[in-house]
Amino acid sequence: MKQATKKIFMILAAAVVVALFAACGNDDAATTGGGAADGAFRVGVSMPTMDLQRWNQDGANLREMLTERGFTVDLQFAANDVPTQVSQLENMIGAGADVLVIAAIDGDALTEVLATAEAQNIPVIAYDRLIMNTSAVTYYATFDNFLVGQMQGEFIRDALDLPNQSGPFYIEFFTGDPGDNNINFFFPGAMSILQPFLDDGTLVSPSGQTDIMAVATLGWSTENAQTRMENLIALNNLVPGGHPLHAVMCSNDSTAQGVTNALLNAGWTAGADFPIITGQDCDIISVRNMIAGTQAMSVFKDTRVLAANVVDMVSAIADGNTVRINNTTDYHNGIRFIPTYLSDPIVATLANYRELLIDGGYYTEAEIYG
Ligand code: GAL
């Protein structure tokens, strides 16, 4: 071999050795981090619907993060239809899922299908919404849902300065789908702050509808919330110059948007007199409504954080490591307390949305401002 050729050969050989070494190093890193670098570990991800913005984000985040860790992901959306979610889960189990990650449409409707998962020792992670009345749920990852409600109640309390006023201030209430166990945290969380003011007459509900089932919104749908708000407006002439309305406590953004639409259609205009409307999720439409002055606040639950927590849970399960939890006493699913990892929600208003959502990389300026 000529000297020059020999030199090139040696450089190439060295490069191959370095590359092989690096590849082995990566494998090691992937194995300790995920135990699934070869894609053999299958994760079924069942999301409720593509209709609401957040579940699209949740699904996309989970797929991306799980794939990065080397898992094989089967992501399905169930069009807010329980039988569809059940059959998608059956298919995932049939296809050999090693873990199921589920945001249930109806927390009470999965007992039977999850009995099959349990019989096959497939761990189940309840995502965002607790799955009720089954011993198949292994872990739960969510935000502190009672705190979400408290934040909404506190916002209304402080905006109306309820402790220092005699009122009456007029308020209506909207929560979410009766099948979603989360409303049993959101709504009581808000009421833990507002009920004393209803009791002493500082707050008054013109419709008298303050019971969780009376104020529930099927499917968390914007249209259903809008229709109910239109009925409430008609019932008591809640229009500018008519019966006063100071606040509408909405458990999330999709319901808040329906309420905003109904109020705008009834002649309310953005400004100091626009009723205080609460929300949750920081949906793009609701952020725009905050900027326009037709929604006062939202609660930011960073779906990237929730997805990352769940991906860590899946990795720990795949590796046989201990799963990180921080709550064992609050989330009882009718059978037992489910080991839970809770993340913190954050109040979002006009004052901090830019920092939270745009500087924080959650949305681009173009997504918010168009
Ligand atoms: C809840 C969830 C909220 C909201 C709502 C409607 O379970 O925690 O963030 O999105 O469903 O989808």
Side-chain angles (χ1 to χ4, degrees):
M1 208 182 283
K2 281 202 181 125
Q3 204 53 28
T5 320
K6 194 170 167 190
K7 204 169 167 193
I8 290 170
F9 178 77
M10 282 177 68
I11 290 170
L12 280 176
V16 167
V17 169
V18 169
L20 278 175
F21 189 77
C24 289
N26 280 343
D27 262 349
D28 281 354
T31 305
T32 44
D38 59 358
F41 199 92
R42 304 175 68 89
V43 185
V45 178
S46 172
M47 292 285 117
T49 176
M50 296 183 101
D51 287 351
L52 297 192
Q53 185 196 317
R54 71 154 295 181
W55 304 111
N56 294 282
Q57 285 168 265
D58 288 287
N61 290 338
L62 282 167
R63 176 162 50 198
E64 189 184 321
M65 292 180 196
L66 286 166
T67 307
E68 260 169 28
R69 296 255 190 127
F71 296 105
T72 295
V73 182
D74 181 3
L75 168 64
Q76 303 286 337
F77 294 86
N80 251 346
D81 180 54
V82 172
T84 302
Q85 186 160 45
V86 169
S87 81
Q88 288 174 341
L89 287 167
E90 281 166 356
N91 290 341
M92 288 173 188
I93 295 166
D98 293 295
V99 170
L100 294 172
V101 176
I102 306 168
I105 296 166
D106 181 338
D108 281 302
L110 302 180
T111 308
E112 212 171 301
V113 65
L114 292 188
T116 320
E118 194 175 21
Q120 297 182 29
N121 294 319
I122 302 171
V124 173
I125 300 173
Y127 185 91
D128 192 84
R129 301 170 170 177
L130 188 53
I131 305 169
M132 308 302 289
N133 299 320
T134 163
S135 52
V137 181
T138 328
Y139 298 103
Y140 180 34
T142 191
F143 287 85
D144 186 332
N145 293 318
F146 192 83
L147 181 56
V148 169
Q150 275 180 309
M151 287 170 158
Q152 294 162 337
E154 284 164 1
F155 187 92
I156 291 172
R157 178 197 66 195
D158 296 347
L160 296 175
D161 192 22
L162 296 179
N164 300 308
Q165 307 291 327
S166 49
F169 294 103
Y170 294 96
I171 183 168
E172 295 289 0
F173 296 88
F174 284 71
T175 195
D177 191 272
D180 180 353
N181 185 57
N182 282 355
I183 71 167
N184 300 318
F185 291 84
F186 299 148
F187 191 69
M191 283 310 208
S192 71
I193 306 295
L194 299 176
Q195 188 66 50
F197 299 106
L198 285 164
D199 291 343
D200 73 11
T202 315
L203 281 177
V204 173
S205 159
S207 69
Q209 295 174 10
T210 57
D211 175 75
I212 188 166
M213 281 307 141
V215 306
T217 310
L218 264 185
W220 290 95
S221 123
T222 297
E223 292 70 28
N224 291 340
Q226 181 167 339
T227 303
R228 178 163 169 261
M229 190 67 223
E230 283 163 0
N231 291 339
L232 297 181
I233 290 169
L235 190 66
N236 282 301
N237 195 32
L238 306 176
V239 295
H243 191 301
L245 179 66
H246 299 96
V248 185
M249 197 298 295
C250 296
S251 284
N252 88 331
D253 282 352
S254 58
T255 52
Q257 289 156 24
V259 169
T260 292
N261 295 344
L263 291 175
L264 290 173
N265 291 345
W268 294 88
T269 49
D273 291 340
F274 200 84
I276 296 156
I277 299 179
T278 61
Q280 161 183 202
D281 289 335
C282 289
D283 281 2
I284 289 173
I285 293 174
S286 285
V287 176
R288 290 180 180 162
N289 286 350
M290 285 202 286
I291 296 166
T294 56
Q295 182 173 327
M297 64 87 80
S298 189
V299 176
F300 180 45
K301 303 192 303 184
D302 192 331
T303 54
R304 297 168 300 188
V305 170
L306 184 57
N309 292 340
V310 167
V311 171
D312 283 346
M313 282 182 169
V314 173
S315 292
I317 291 169
D319 287 345
N321 289 338
T322 308
V323 171
R324 188 174 60 141
I325 52 166
N326 60 10
N327 185 295
T328 53
T329 54
D330 287 333
Y331 292 91
H332 197 282
N333 81 335
I335 305 285
R336 63 190 178 96
F337 284 103
I338 305 299
T340 296
Y341 192 84
L342 287 183
S343 299
D344 288 330
I346 302 171
V347 172
T349 64
L350 204 51
N352 69 346
Y353 82 90
R354 262 200 84 89
E355 184 190 337
L356 273 183
L357 303 173
I358 298 177
D359 301 349
Y362 201 68
Y363 294 134
T364 61
E365 298 224 354
E367 282 173 309
I368 299 296
Y369 305 117

